[in-house]
Amino acid sequence: LLALPHHFPALILRGAAFPPSVQESRRFATHPKLLQDLFSLAGESQARDFSDTVTYLISQAMLADLCLFISPPTEQDQLFIHTYYDLISEKNYPGAVLDSRSAPLIASALRQGRPQRLPASSTSPDLTNLAQALKLERTGNLLLVPVISTDGNTLFGIILLSPYSNRDWLTEDQNLL
């Protein structure tokens, strides 16, 4: 084995040109425990356990400060935030109820089954009212991705917020989520 490089010097030269490593901040987490927790979802019998686990897993995987599990607007124009996970405090919190008129962009995106990104600088009332409902000073940047059933209806939505890190959500994040 030690003599093989001497017999094939051309292969060694071609393989020697490695691209320089690029230092970039981590945008996603990959950890074996996340996969184990993902597979445990199949055994969840309670809706609360399911939403707690989903928000925990997505927050961990996407490195999101906060991850919310939200239902589409009801006939009474209410948005139910079932639960949310705070990556910094490493805890699930009970959600809140929000009037869909106080979060028109979120409600519209959920009704239409389309993703929505809002920068922290947005003048939309969505971010302000969402922060008030969750008792936060600010929400930071927002990424909403609806989960669509096979018949085209929105089952629920996942909202990622970055109140602590002020992380920008990119199209790549949206596609991955």
Side-chain angles (χ1 to χ4, degrees):
L1 288 175
L2 295 174
L4 282 176
H6 297 290
H7 292 295
F8 303 103
L11 291 176
I12 300 300
L13 290 176
R14 270 188 258 138
F18 294 106
S21 65
V22 176
Q23 291 293 332
E24 82 178 51
S25 63
R26 283 183 0 152
R27 297 200 58 84
F28 314 107
T30 53
H31 192 276
K33 175 134 176 47
L34 288 176
L35 291 176
Q36 180 183 11
D37 290 341
L38 178 64
F39 293 128
S40 76
L41 278 176
E44 298 292 352
S45 59
Q46 301 289 325
R48 175 72 182 186
D49 294 338
F50 176 79
S51 59
D52 282 351
T53 305
V54 166
T55 54
Y56 163 77
L57 289 173
I58 292 174
S59 183
Q60 293 284 329
M62 298 294 294
L63 302 175
D65 297 349
L66 299 178
C67 178
L68 288 65
F69 189 97
I70 188 170
S71 292
T74 64
E75 291 178 10
Q76 294 79 27
D77 277 334
Q78 292 182 318
L79 293 168
F80 285 98
I81 301 168
H82 298 276
T83 185
Y84 69 96
Y85 183 78
D86 185 324
L87 185 66
I88 306 308
S89 67
E90 297 181 338
K91 288 174 51 177
N92 273 95
Y93 292 94
V97 178
L98 198 62
D99 187 306
S100 63
R101 290 173 295 235
S102 66
L105 296 177
I106 292 172
S108 175
L110 287 168
R111 277 190 194 103
Q112 295 174 9
R114 60 179 173 77
Q116 177 74 52
R117 284 186 287 165
L118 291 173
S121 61
S122 173
T123 59
S124 168
D126 294 65
L127 297 182
T128 306
N129 293 325
L130 187 58
Q132 287 175 350
L134 299 175
K135 297 175 178 63
L136 299 170
E137 287 184 34
R138 58 191 236 44
T139 61
N141 299 305
L142 176 143
L143 170 62
L144 162 67
V145 175
V147 176
I148 310 295
S149 68
T150 54
D151 61 356
N153 294 323
T154 302
L155 298 172
F156 59 90
I158 298 296
I159 295 178
L160 303 182
L161 300 173
S162 57
Y164 314 122
S165 66
N166 206 36
R167 175 181 175 179
D168 288 327
W169 299 110
L170 307 174
T171 305
E172 178 185 357
D173 301 319
Q174 179 180 311
N175 293 339
L176 181 64
L177 184 56

